[in-house]
Amino acid sequence: MGVTIHAKSDSEVTSIDASSPPRSPRRPLYYVQSPSHSQHDVEKMSYRSSPFGSPAHHYHCSPIHHSRESSTSRSNHLAVWKRIPRTNDDDHDDTGADEDDMSDQGNVKFYVLCFLFSFLVLFTIFSLILWAASLPYKPKIFVKSMVFENLNVQAGIDGTGVQTDMLTLNSTVRIYYRNPASFFGVHVTATPLELHYYMLKVASGQMKKFYEPRKSKRIVVAVLQGHQIPLYGAIPLLSDAKDRIQSVSVPLNLTFLMRSRGYILGRLVKSKFYIHISCQVTLRGNHLGKHINLTSSGSCNYR
């Protein structure tokens, strides 16, 4: 049986092609390889690269299949991104942020230390200036007068049972004190006031401490007493003239130390003024109860 083969002309081919629906232009496909779909993607790419117009080729090139492949590739792409771990760049960024924080903290500490150091230096300089400014304001002190109120010498017995002459003496010392400072007051104390005949102490007394405001003055009174002081013949003038007290004349030495403390800036800055006072005074029996002027005679030494 004969078979007749009809060859289609170019016009027929053209008419057939024109009657078929137009195909959408090819779009580039992007594939993300994953372990579960690697073989399937390789098959897709092998079909896509085939030069022949097979049904498989027509299937892969259809718009429906293209949209499915796009949605599948997008889901695979998202799944792959979900499984991507943090890279070293993120760690590097965190490390850099930590280093910046540590650097900022270090700068803050440095500024705080600089501020404290500057404050201490300035405060020290200010304190030294105040202290130096207080030095010229030395208190003015001098012993104005002294009064021997009574004197008594009589025979007696000391604590060990030795018989000797015993001396009883009462006296009062008047001291002038002035604080010339214009910006601070002073706290004033003194060591015990002692009255000696050479090495023998015949009377002593204590001055009360006081506070002297700035630019002020006062008269301080201290009482010196000696009760039943054994003489052991140390003052022969008194022993020989104990019945004639009005005729005795005994040289004595008055000594004490006055301390003045000026608190300029609380107790942080203070000035100290120490004055040692020594006065030569003569006890005369005929001048009992009378003031002995110690300012004009120049009998006192201040150092």
Side-chain angles (χ1 to χ4, degrees):
M1 182 177 58
V3 177
T4 304
I5 299 175
H6 298 279
K8 293 182 181 181
S9 63
D10 294 336
S11 60
E12 292 176 349
V13 173
T14 303
S15 62
I16 293 173
D17 294 335
S19 62
S20 62
R23 298 180 181 177
S24 61
R26 296 181 181 177
R27 298 180 183 178
L29 299 179
Y30 299 92
Y31 298 93
V32 177
Q33 184 177 357
S34 63
S36 60
H37 300 282
S38 61
Q39 184 64 29
H40 182 65
D41 294 338
V42 170
E43 293 175 358
K44 286 181 180 181
M45 294 179 67
S46 63
Y47 282 119
R48 187 76 179 89
S49 61
S50 175
F52 302 101
S54 61
H57 171 72
H58 177 74
Y59 173 76
H60 283 291
C61 294
S62 64
I64 298 175
H65 180 70
H66 175 69
S67 62
R68 291 179 179 176
E69 285 183 348
S70 299
S71 61
T72 304
S73 62
R74 284 197 299 269
S75 63
N76 293 336
H77 184 267
L78 294 175
V80 171
W81 274 105
K82 289 181 180 179
R83 292 194 297 269
I84 294 177
R86 293 181 63 182
T87 60
N88 293 330
D89 293 338
D90 296 336
D91 297 337
H92 179 71
D93 293 339
D94 294 340
T95 305
D98 294 340
E99 291 178 354
D100 292 339
D101 293 339
M102 293 178 65
S103 178
D104 294 339
Q105 292 178 1
N107 291 334
V108 171
K109 291 180 180 179
F110 175 76
Y111 291 140
V112 170
L113 291 177
C114 289
F115 173 77
L116 292 177
F117 179 75
S118 301
F119 176 77
L120 290 176
V121 170
L122 293 176
F123 181 78
T124 303
I125 295 174
F126 179 70
S127 300
L128 290 175
I129 292 174
L130 289 179
W131 177 79
S134 67
L135 293 180
Y137 296 100
K138 186 177 180 179
K140 307 298 182 181
I141 303 173
F142 59 87
V143 180
K144 291 192 66 176
S145 63
M146 186 172 182
V147 178
F148 292 99
E149 297 172 351
N150 60 59
L151 173 64
N152 184 22
V153 179
Q154 62 184 12
I157 300 174
D158 64 1
T160 62
V162 178
Q163 293 184 354
T164 184
D165 294 332
M166 310 294 287
L167 172 66
T168 299
L169 176 66
N170 291 329
S171 62
T172 302
V173 179
R174 296 170 61 86
I175 304 169
Y176 173 84
Y177 188 95
R178 178 174 178 268
N179 177 24
S182 59
F183 59 95
F184 64 91
V186 290
H187 298 264
V188 184
T189 59
T191 60
L193 286 74
E194 296 180 349
L195 195 61
H196 290 83
Y197 176 80
Y198 294 100
M199 299 299 295
L200 177 64
K201 182 171 68 173
V202 297
S204 64
Q206 184 67 50
M207 185 190 76
K208 293 182 179 180
K209 61 182 180 180
F210 60 92
Y211 173 78
E212 191 65 27
R214 58 181 183 174
K215 288 188 175 182
S216 60
K217 59 185 179 180
R218 71 171 61 194
I219 300 296
V220 183
V221 178
V223 177
L224 284 74
Q225 295 178 338
H227 180 68
Q228 296 294 313
I229 304 299
L231 297 177
Y232 303 113
I235 309 177
L237 295 176
L238 293 177
S239 299
D240 296 339
K242 60 183 178 181
D243 295 330
R244 297 177 286 106
I245 295 297
Q246 297 295 326
S247 62
V248 301
S249 178
V250 180
L252 299 174
N253 186 26
L254 173 67
T255 58
F256 62 98
L257 174 68
M258 291 195 71
R259 297 184 292 256
S260 303
R261 294 183 177 89
Y263 298 101
I264 303 171
L265 191 62
R267 293 186 176 271
L268 297 176
V269 181
K270 58 185 177 181
S271 293
K272 298 179 181 180
F273 304 98
Y274 292 172
I275 299 178
H276 187 273
I277 302 173
S278 177
C279 297
Q280 300 293 330
V281 60
T282 301
L283 169 60
R284 291 183 174 91
N286 58 355
H287 283 81
L288 294 178
K290 297 180 180 180
H291 289 276
I292 302 173
N293 190 352
L294 299 177
T295 58
S296 59
S297 61
S299 59
C300 293
N301 184 20
Y302 304 92
R303 64 181 186 277

